[in-house]
Structure formats: structure tokens, C-alpha cells
Amino acid sequence: MPGYDRPLLKLFGAHAMRFRRCRTMMVEPVEHPAFDLAGLLGGGTGVSFQSELQVRAAHLHAPCVIERDSCLWLLECSAEQWQRMPDDAFLYERVLALLRKGLLVSDDPAYEVAFIADRQVRQSHWWPLSALHYQHSRWQDVDSLGDMERNQLLTAQDLVRSYGPPPPEAPLRHVGALALPRDDEDPMQRMLQSRVTCRNYASTRALPLPMLARLLQQVLMAQSLVETEPGVRFLKKNVPSAGGLHPLEAFVVVRNVEELQPGLYHYHAVAHELARLHQQPDDLAAFNLRLLAGQHWFAGAHVQLILVCRFERSFWKYRNHAKAYRAVTLDAGHVSQAFYNAATAHGLGAFVTAAINEAEAEQMLGLQPMAEGALAVCGFGWRSDVLTTTELDPDGRIWPETR
């Protein structure tokens, strides 16, 4: 693997391997309800709770369950200083068990997967809590629609039945507040009122390539480039970005565009060009559905954009910064809203969703974990004439018959 110290391994050998704790992790006590017959017979509720300790690490995809003594011992290990394998047989086995879980990392090649993943976290300048949140909020093989169907949480009535009524849609009005004038004839107001998330796309009508190019130019193209220091370049785009760094890249899923073969492309914001990727899914429609976690109503959009953040671009300035990850998610919001407005102005429907299987995108696009990753998917296309999937259109401007 790149950067791995093979001479070091040859020097120490497996018998003298060293270990240290992973850099970023948290311990969470978790309680699970269990049936308690003895408690029930004794007049109790019949429910007891069994506790376990789950350890989440920023370089691991899933939590690890460990017993209390191992957890305490792990917390006492250094994350910076290498240690020799202990002579005590009991402790030796404990170290091996934690190495197999990936909570300890080693300079032995047998455990290089965890070593490389932990090294990536160490070098990427994530704020620890953000790194943990990002890693453990990523989805893989999630079917969000299937989950909603199984849990019967598809409609507003389902939500009220399960959760009760929602909080009020707005806070109480202030006494003596100033009533502001309205301008219902404002062209911008009329356009924004037509901005409705689209779930029904016309499969029989292709999107013209010049229209796709125009939307990319309006939202993502670099309008100018400024070099403030040798090698330090900032882009001006029509959307804001924290620190002017613009770390978001767009990978384009082309489904139905004139003059373009369906498939995956990368959009270069400075050159304003699309490059078809060498690696393509065997079944684009199936990949698209997995990427969107089963949301088939969005999969029909003519164009979808996977918004991928190059975290290292942002974290170059905002190192171990508590607000850095929040800032890049705001960047994704700026981009998606700009596409909504641009698409609406061109008579198209648009959408954005964060309910995606990030791991699906990472694997297909060859992204480097923790250095770059998918944040959201947005898309647009011609709206269908037929309402097949229900849309939320409270103002009744798009689908008057649904009011």
C-alpha cells in the first residue's frame, strides 16, 4: 500500500510487532430491553435491560462491542506511542482480540487494513467528533423506502399514529409586530413559488445537452480563478463556500440526455467539461437505485449529481475545526438550492436528498475514505405530465388537482 513502511516491518518481524490505540474513538453504554420472567412473576414489568459497551472509531464503519475490562485497558493505551506486545499471556490475547476488532493498530502487515484506515484519519485534519459523526452516519446497503414501508411510516397519518402530532409549524406571533408589505407580482417570487421537489419525471423526453451545460455553468462552473500565492488558487462560483475553498465536486449520473451516452461522468468546474469515467456500473439503473437508497421516484430524473466533498481541500485551512464539517454540508445546501432555482427557471423539476448510500458512491467512484466522500445527490429533468408518485405541493401550483 502507498506510504506503508515495509522496511520497518522487515526490521521488527511478526514476533516483535508493536501496537497502539487508534486515534479517534468514543465509548457508548447501550442498554437493550429483554424479557424478564422472574421479574414479571415477582410483580414487575417483565422487562429488564442488558447493558453493553460499544466503541465507535473514526476509521471503522461499524461499532465494536467489548467487555468492560478490555474497554478500560484500551482507554489507558497510548494513541501516539508504539508499545511492544506484552509477555503476559492473558494481556497478549487481549491485545490480539482488540487488534482483530481494529481498535488497536499494529505495524504488522496482518493488520494493515486498520493501520491504513487509522492513518488516513490521522492525516486528514478532521475534528474528532465530526469524524465520528461522518463515519457512522454513512449508509451502506440501506433501503430507506423498504424501511419506511416495514415501519409503516409512509404518510403523515402514519407519522402521527407512531409519534403523535408534530411541534407547531411556527412559533407564536409577537404582540405589536410590524406587518411587512408583500409584492405578489415580483417575478422572482413567482419563480420561487414554483420551486417544488419533483418526484415524477418524463421518461419519453430527453434533456438537451445545451440545457445541461447551461445549468452546470450557472451553478458549478468557476466564473473566475484568483491565485493569491504561488499554488494557492481560489475560485469564484455563483454559490457561496466556506473560506472560498469550494471543496465540492460533481459526479454526474446521466440517464436521459441528448448526445450523451448514459453513465457516470465527472464535471470539471474550471474547464467546464464532462469526462466519462473509465469505471461504469454494469447496470446503471440498479446502481442508481442503490445509490438513492431505494427512492425510485428520484431515480427517474434525467440527470443526477453526486455532490462529493474533497475534505482535504476544506481542512487545509480549517484543521481539526469544530465547524469545518458543518460548513461543507452548508456548501452542499447552497449548491442544491441553486440547482433548484436554475432548474425551475428552465421549466424543469428538481430534487435533493441526503438519504443516500454513500458507500455505494465511494466504491464506484474510487473515492479515498475520510479524504473525500459523498454528501448528497441532487438532480433535475422534465417533469412528467402524469402524477404517479405523490408530491408535496402545499401551494397547489404544480399539481392543482391534488389540493
Side-chain angles (χ1 to χ4, degrees):
M1 301 297 292
Y4 200 66
D5 199 343
R6 296 293 182 183
L8 182 67
L9 298 180
K10 292 179 180 179
L11 174 64
F12 287 107
H15 68 282
M17 71 176 182
R18 305 177 304 167
F19 69 92
R20 65 186 178 191
R21 180 171 55 80
C22 63
R23 165 65 66 81
T24 304
M25 62 175 230
M26 62 166 282
V27 180
E28 181 183 11
V30 177
E31 295 182 82
H32 301 286
F35 176 63
D36 183 4
L37 178 59
L40 181 63
L41 295 176
T45 63
V47 179
S48 63
F49 289 87
Q50 299 175 348
S51 62
E52 65 181 21
L53 294 177
Q54 292 187 0
V55 182
R56 295 180 182 269
H59 70 293
L60 299 178
H61 302 311
C64 301
V65 176
I66 63 175
E67 47 93 20
R68 178 180 177 276
D69 289 343
S70 290
C71 183
L72 292 174
W73 188 88
L74 178 66
L75 292 173
E76 293 177 353
C77 285
S78 172
E80 304 300 332
Q81 293 183 331
W82 290 102
Q83 298 174 244
R84 300 288 186 187
M85 293 295 289
D87 294 327
D88 181 85
F90 179 78
L91 289 179
Y92 189 92
E93 290 301 321
R94 172 175 285 172
V95 170
L96 289 181
L98 292 172
L99 283 170
R100 286 192 288 267
K101 289 180 179 293
L103 298 174
L104 292 178
V105 295
S106 172
D107 58 8
D108 187 290
Y111 304 101
E112 70 176 0
V113 172
F115 173 89
I116 293 170
D118 177 66
R119 183 183 60 186
Q120 180 61 54
V121 175
R122 291 169 182 266
Q123 296 176 348
S124 60
H125 306 299
W126 279 86
W127 188 56
L129 293 182
S130 293
L132 286 164
H133 170 259
Y134 171 73
Q135 179 67 269
H136 291 276
S137 64
R138 291 164 61 257
W139 281 2
Q140 183 168 9
D141 300 326
V142 171
D143 179 3
S144 62
L145 175 58
D147 289 343
M148 288 190 291
E149 291 174 339
R150 284 187 290 274
N151 295 318
Q152 297 184 335
L153 294 174
L154 286 172
T155 66
Q157 291 85 353
D158 293 338
L159 293 170
V160 171
R161 184 184 64 251
S162 296
Y163 303 145
E169 71 284 357
L172 294 175
R173 298 171 65 182
H174 294 275
V175 176
L178 173 67
L180 298 174
R182 294 176 50 165
D183 182 1
D184 293 330
E185 301 305 316
D186 176 16
M188 176 64 75
Q189 169 70 1
R190 290 198 297 269
M191 190 275 287
L192 292 175
Q193 284 180 305
S194 299
R195 188 217 61 75
V196 176
T197 295
C198 181
R199 290 185 168 191
N200 297 270
Y201 293 92
S203 60
T204 58
R205 184 183 181 188
L207 189 73
L209 178 58
M211 185 174 288
L212 168 60
R214 195 174 309 129
L215 265 68
L216 291 172
Q217 176 179 346
Q218 291 173 348
V219 178
L220 288 180
M221 189 187 85
Q223 307 297 315
S224 61
L225 185 151
V226 176
E227 187 168 15
T228 59
E229 297 289 335
V232 181
R233 303 179 185 89
F234 293 91
L235 303 178
K236 168 63 177 76
K237 297 186 179 182
N238 292 337
V239 290
S241 178
L245 294 169
H246 290 288
L248 296 189
E249 297 289 329
F251 287 84
V252 184
V253 183
V254 171
R255 296 294 304 274
N256 192 4
V257 177
E258 294 174 356
E259 305 177 54
L260 278 182
Q261 183 181 356
L264 300 181
Y265 295 77
H266 175 256
Y267 174 68
H268 196 289
V270 176
H272 188 49
E273 62 187 16
L274 284 174
R276 184 175 171 84
L277 303 185
H278 294 297
Q279 181 174 340
Q280 295 287 329
D282 295 331
D283 186 331
L284 182 63
F287 162 78
N288 208 187
L289 197 58
R290 293 194 304 272
L291 172 67
L292 293 167
Q295 298 174 96
H296 57 80
W297 46 81
F298 293 145
H302 299 61
V303 173
Q304 289 137 48
L305 296 100
I306 307 171
L307 301 183
V308 170
C309 182
R310 293 188 293 128
F311 297 113
E312 55 192 0
R313 168 74 176 173
S314 179
F315 298 169
W316 165 76
K317 177 180 180 180
Y318 301 113
R319 300 188 174 210
N320 302 297
H321 198 296
K323 300 292 186 180
Y325 180 59
R326 181 182 295 188
V328 298
T329 59
L330 286 174
D331 278 16
H334 298 319
V335 169
S336 63
Q337 182 63 19
F339 270 119
Y340 262 111
N341 293 337
T344 302
H346 287 85
L348 304 174
F351 78 88
V352 64
T353 179
I356 62 173
N357 280 311
E358 292 93 338
E360 188 75 33
E362 292 169 4
Q363 292 163 11
M364 179 56 63
L365 301 177
L367 306 182
Q368 187 177 7
M370 302 305 289
E372 49 192 356
L375 295 182
V377 172
C378 55
F380 45 85
W382 297 117
R383 188 181 293 274
S384 174
D385 294 329
V386 179
L387 182 66
T388 302
T389 301
T390 302
E391 294 187 10
L392 189 60
D393 180 21
D395 207 22
R397 290 178 177 271
I398 304 301
W399 304 102
E401 67 274 17
T402 65
R403 293 189 69 181

